[in-house]
Amino acid sequence: MTVEAQDPKKTDTPASSLTQEERERIATMSYEEARDQLIQAVQALEAGGLNLDQSMRQWELGEALAKRAQTLLDQVRAKLDAAQAEQQTSADTAGTQSNLE
């Protein structure tokens, strides 16, 4: 049985062609901005003609944009769920002694 030595330069995070600045910009985008840029990335991939590096960059960009859009949708869903739960609680106690306390 052999034990493979860990490369100290190797990390669990895969290499990315996106810069920290690009990741930060994506993290502050509105849903609409992320969606529109995701559409552009997908169209670039579908159009073809990109070399491997360009294709990988578009794919990484698309993944980051999709994640941002999904995060924003999840936040909106959580707010809607909370509002519906609050509304249901109010409806359950409407016209009862508990809503007067």
Side-chain angles (χ1 to χ4, degrees):
M1 185 190 316
T2 61
V3 177
E4 293 181 22
Q6 290 286 332
D7 182 350
K9 296 177 194 168
K10 188 176 180 181
T11 64
D12 291 336
T13 306
S16 173
S17 64
L18 299 180
T19 66
Q20 184 64 30
E21 183 180 317
E22 288 172 316
R23 283 189 227 108
E24 289 170 2
R25 187 176 53 78
I26 290 169
T28 61
M29 283 183 178
S30 69
Y31 171 78
E32 291 79 10
E33 289 173 305
R35 179 202 58 211
D36 292 346
Q37 288 197 21
L38 175 57
I39 289 168
Q40 291 174 2
V42 169
Q43 288 173 339
L45 286 167
E46 288 177 342
L50 302 175
N51 65 34
L52 181 59
D53 288 338
Q54 293 168 329
S55 294
M56 284 301 299
R57 178 163 171 69
Q58 288 300 313
W59 178 79
E60 287 181 49
L61 183 60
E63 286 288 320
L65 292 163
K67 184 177 179 180
R68 173 63 180 162
Q70 188 61 53
T71 296
L72 292 168
L73 289 174
D74 291 345
Q75 290 172 356
V76 169
R77 171 53 60 196
K79 287 178 184 178
L80 288 172
D81 289 346
Q84 287 176 332
E86 185 177 327
Q87 184 179 28
Q88 185 60 44
T89 300
S90 296
D92 290 345
T93 60
T96 66
Q97 185 66 30
S98 63
N99 72 341
L100 299 175
E101 298 171 355

